[in-house]
Amino acid sequence: MNIPNLITVLRVLLIPIFILLFYLPYHWSYVASASVFAFAAATDWLDGYLARRLEQSTPFGAFLDPVADKLMVAVALVLLVQEHANLWLTLPAAVIIGREIVVSALREWMAELGARAQVAVSSLGKWKTAAQMLALVILLGNPANFNFWVLLGYALLLISAGLTLWSMVQYLRAAWPHLRTDVDPK
């Protein structure tokens, strides 16, 4: 267990804290939950940077880092869908969560074929993640009222969902030759 892995574990442990803060019946609970989420999102960059800088990349970290990210995002989206209960949030949330399931399954399947590198994270994924995290911080930090900040959060989440779909199409195109291969019957 090294520092980058401990930071990743911390990110997972922060999930119940931001859930608890989100549901507290105080006016400051939105900002508090958004702050914990933002801190956790920042640790995603930090653990990767430290793992590379200190040459402490491990198989455990390579496994847990994307799991922690997906857990954080999925939990935040579920909280927000329940709170906002509208199409502007529910549709992009379904797209984002659905894409994560499809791409995770695709990566696992491609790894079994020894072709995992063909569905590696792209630079488009980094833009998607940035828009998504910013949208989630904004939306977690504000009650479900139609104001400038919530509308900005919706817009960023819609952009993120669009980038999510585009990146999924790129992953599927990269994997398509392997998906089309006919199985040789015995």
Side-chain angles (χ1 to χ4, degrees), residues 52-138:
R52 288 184 300 276
R53 178 82 177 185
L54 302 173
E55 297 179 7
Q56 293 184 343
S57 295
T58 65
F60 176 71
F63 159 75
L64 189 60
D65 184 64
V67 170
D69 299 343
K70 288 168 183 36
L71 284 172
M72 260 182 46
V73 168
V75 168
L77 288 169
V78 168
L79 292 175
L80 290 168
V81 164
Q82 181 263 327
E83 177 83 4
H84 290 248
N86 64 46
L87 182 65
W88 300 109
L89 200 127
T90 304
L91 184 61
V95 166
I96 290 166
I97 292 171
R99 179 262 189 202
E100 292 303 336
I101 293 167
V102 169
V103 171
S104 292
L106 181 65
R107 285 183 178 143
E108 182 180 330
W109 182 71
M110 292 293 284
E112 286 181 22
L113 297 177
R116 171 79 163 86
Q118 293 182 18
V119 287
V121 176
S122 68
S123 61
L124 179 62
K126 301 212 182 278
W127 285 102
K128 171 204 67 95
T129 300
Q132 180 177 276
M133 293 305 189
L134 184 56
L136 292 175
V137 168
I138 290 169

Side-chain angles (χ1 to χ4, degrees), residues 84 89 134-157:
H84 290 248
L89 200 127
L134 184 56
L136 292 175
V137 168
I138 290 169
L139 292 168
L140 286 167
N142 291 281
N145 301 325
F146 281 102
N147 60 40
F148 171 78
W149 291 108
V150 171
L151 293 176
L152 176 62
Y154 287 170
L156 287 169
L157 199 62

